[in-house]
Amino acid sequence: MKCDEIGLSPREITLLRRLRDGGQPMKKAAIDLGIPPSGLTRLVKSLESKGIVTVHKVGVSNSIGFSDRKHATMLRRILNEYDHMKLEEILSLASLRVIVSLATQSTATRPEMLSSSRISPRTLQTVLTKLRAVGILRIRERGIYELSERFTPFGDFARELVSFSNQKMASGFSSDSVVVWERGNEFIIRTRTREERDGFMKTAFSAFDGYGVPLVQDWHYYFHPHGTWRRTPEEVFLQSLLVRPLSSREANALKMLWSRNNLRLRIDQLRAKASRYGVDADFEKLIDGFRD
C-alpha cells in the first residue's frame, strides 16, 4: 500500500457501514449497494489491501466481513458510535488525509498539513472548515490545529491505519523488515537486506561509511521518506538517535561522525531538526557528553 492509497472512498465507507453488525454474502452486498458484482469486487480488494475486510467461503458463496486487525476494529467502533454523522464525507479522501496529518504529528500547522497530506491549499481550507463545523477539529493556539478530545477514536484509527500501511510497505521491501521508528508516512526499518530500492534509503549507522566513519553491522537501517529527502550527515546523525538503545560502539561512531563532519558548526540547525524528530533530550545529552 502506497502512502497515497491510505485513504478510503465514500463508497467503501458505505459498504463498511453495512458490515459493522456482521458479515454479508457478497451477492447481497452488491444488490444492497446497487452495483454490479465486478464493482463490489474492486471495493473489496481495495479494503482487503488496507487490512480492513476479509473474504471467506460460506457454503458455495463468498462472504465479506471486518478483519480482526486493530485498525479495522477501531473503524468498526467509529461506524457504530458515530453513526449519526456523515462519515462518508468525514472519513474519506482528503478529509481522512487531514485527520491522518493531525493524528501523526506533534504539531499541525497549515504548512505541515499541506506537506503531509499532499492536497491543495484550497482543498485544505474546505476540509478544515468542514471538520471544525462538526467539532472534530479545534485550534489549540494561533496557527496550530488538533483533533478534539471527543473524537479521539478517529485519531487512534488514523495512526493504526498508517502503521499498518508502513509495515506492509516494509514487508514488501524485505520479509525480515521491522519498523523501528515511524512518524506518519515516514518510517525507518531494520533489515539484513543490503541494497537500496523502492524508495528505501540507507540511513543511521548504515550510512556512516559515506561520511568517513566505516561501521560494519549485521543489521541495516533504511528510511522511507514522505516526499523528497536529502541524506546529509545531519539527518543521518539525528536518525541514528531514533534507533535506540545505542551500544557503546555506536555511541563512539556517533562521536566520530560529529567530529569528522564538523557538525558542531551546525548545532542550531541540528537542534531544530532534533525537535522535529522528538529527540531533543537525547541530542542535548549526547552533545554534552561530547563536550566532556
Side-chain angles (χ1 to χ4, degrees):
M1 187 193 305
K2 297 179 181 179
C3 296
D4 294 340
E5 296 175 349
I6 288 175
L8 295 167
S9 72
R11 180 153 281 188
E12 286 174 340
I13 296 172
T14 298
L15 171 59
L16 293 170
R17 278 187 185 271
R18 297 178 180 276
L19 301 177
R20 63 187 177 182
D21 295 325
Q24 275 193 10
M26 289 189 66
K27 184 176 181 180
K28 181 179 186 305
I31 293 172
D32 289 346
L33 290 174
I35 60 176
S38 59
L40 180 66
T41 298
R42 286 193 293 272
L43 284 179
V44 171
K45 284 185 176 180
S46 174
L47 290 168
E48 276 188 304
S49 72
K50 297 162 188 169
I52 295 174
V53 302
T54 57
V55 178
H56 55 277
K57 282 280 188 181
V58 178
V60 295
S61 61
N62 289 329
S63 180
I64 51 175
F66 272 86
S67 77
D68 58 2
R69 294 185 181 276
K70 191 173 181 179
H71 64 287
T73 301
M74 289 176 168
L75 178 55
R76 192 172 187 176
R77 174 191 169 189
I78 290 172
L79 293 172
N80 280 304
E81 293 186 9
Y82 300 88
D83 179 51
H84 60 286
M85 301 181 72
K86 295 180 180 179
L87 296 177
E88 282 84 353
E89 298 178 9
I90 295 169
L91 277 178
S92 67
L93 307 177
S95 294
L96 181 57
R97 290 194 185 188
V98 172
I99 290 174
V100 167
S101 181
L102 290 165
T104 57
Q105 300 184 83
S106 56
T107 62
T109 62
R110 284 177 182 252
E112 288 167 339
M113 285 187 281
L114 286 171
S115 175
S116 61
S117 64
R118 295 187 178 183
I119 60 178
S120 69
R122 185 175 180 179
T123 300
L124 177 63
Q125 179 58 49
T126 300
V127 172
L128 292 179
T129 300
K130 177 172 58 179
L131 295 181
R132 287 190 69 189
V134 295
I136 291 178
L137 174 68
R138 69 183 183 187
I139 300 178
R140 188 177 72 195
E141 55 187 83
R142 186 175 179 83
I144 297 180
Y145 298 80
E146 65 182 5
L147 294 174
S148 301
E149 291 180 1
R150 291 190 297 119
F151 294 94
T152 297
F154 286 71
D156 294 340
F157 162 68
R159 282 188 291 273
E160 286 298 327
L161 178 62
V162 172
S163 185
F164 171 82
S165 171
N166 292 345
Q167 185 58 64
K168 185 174 181 180
M169 292 179 68
S171 298
F173 175 75
S174 176
S175 60
D176 68 345
S177 294
V178 176
V179 176
V180 296
W181 173 85
E182 60 186 340
R183 182 190 56 199
N185 299 128
E186 297 184 322
F187 58 98
I188 295 174
I189 63 171
R190 184 185 69 201
T191 174
R192 294 188 186 278
T193 299
R194 295 179 176 274
E195 297 179 357
E196 296 180 331
R197 65 174 187 274
D198 302 331
F200 286 84
M201 304 169 67
K202 282 188 178 180
T203 189
F205 302 106
S206 299
F208 275 29
D209 58 347
Y211 300 101
V213 185
L215 183 65
V216 178
Q217 291 186 306
D218 293 331
W219 293 100
H220 302 281
Y221 296 99
Y222 293 87
F223 180 49
H224 192 281
H226 182 63
T228 58
W229 177 71
R230 292 179 61 242
R231 181 169 48 205
T232 63
E234 294 93 338
E235 290 286 325
V236 167
F237 180 89
L238 291 173
Q239 290 193 359
S240 298
L241 303 184
L242 299 171
V243 297
R244 286 184 175 271
L246 298 177
S247 67
S248 59
R249 182 165 167 263
E250 290 169 338
N252 287 331
L254 276 170
K255 293 177 185 177
M256 292 175 66
L257 182 70
W258 175 271
S259 175
R260 293 186 179 182
N261 292 273
N262 291 319
L263 295 185
R264 62 183 177 79
L265 301 179
R266 284 161 277 181
I267 194 166
D268 290 336
Q269 180 184 6
L270 279 162
R271 277 199 174 101
K273 289 186 176 183
S275 178
R276 179 170 173 263
Y277 281 121
V279 292
D280 316 54
D282 291 335
F283 174 72
E284 296 298 339
K285 183 178 180 180
L286 197 65
I287 61 174
D288 282 346
F290 291 171
R291 294 192 187 102
D292 293 342

